[in-house]
Amino acid sequence: MKNTFQLLDEQTALDLKSYLTRAKKMDQKGTVRLRAFGTLLTAYVAPLFPAAILDDGPTVLGLRTMELKSEAEINILV
């Protein structure tokens, strides 16, 4: 198991940066879950969600996938 990762190229890194910047504009205190299996990295965010479990309102999930240079196994919340 390799628990570090390297993105495929600079364009992939810029795409991830753009995605996370947009998510942060919607939720300043938001987190991102990074999961990697093999050469696929996924980044999940939830910029809109109800304040409590019984509150009305939408939950919006965002997902971005990207290729890695080599295999990795990651599951972290940042």
Side-chain angles (χ1 to χ4, degrees), residues 31-49:
T31 58
V32 59
R33 176 169 299 277
L34 297 174
R35 296 198 65 179
F37 295 100
T39 58
L40 179 69
L41 176 71
T42 59
Y44 299 90
V45 296
L48 296 175
F49 52 89

Side-chain angles (χ1 to χ4, degrees), residues 52-56:
I53 196 164
L54 297 177
D55 287 349
D56 288 334

Side-chain angles (χ1 to χ4, degrees), residues 2-7 16 34 36 41 68 70-72 74 76:
K2 183 178 176 189
N3 57 8
T4 61
F5 66 90
Q6 185 175 8
L7 297 173
L16 179 59
L34 297 174
L41 176 71
L68 299 174
S70 60
E71 291 189 1
I74 305 283
I76 57 173

Side-chain angles (χ1 to χ4, degrees), residues 9-78:
D9 55 23
E10 185 177 351
Q11 184 59 41
T12 304
L14 290 172
D15 181 61
L16 179 59
K17 179 182 176 183
S18 175
Y19 173 72
L20 295 176
T21 299
R22 288 186 209 133
K24 187 172 182 177
K25 285 181 183 178
M26 296 186 76
D27 183 3
Q28 288 291 320
K29 295 180 182 180
T31 58
V32 59
R33 176 169 299 277
L34 297 174
R35 296 198 65 179
F37 295 100
T39 58
L40 179 69
L41 176 71
T42 59
Y44 299 90
V45 296
L48 296 175
F49 52 89
I53 196 164
L54 297 177
D55 287 349
D56 288 334
T59 297
V60 175
L61 299 177
L63 168 66
R64 179 74 90 214
T65 62
M66 57 221 77
E67 191 173 354
L68 299 174
K69 275 192 175 182
S70 60
E71 291 189 1
E73 190 171 329
I74 305 283
N75 186 9
I76 57 173
L77 188 63
V78 194

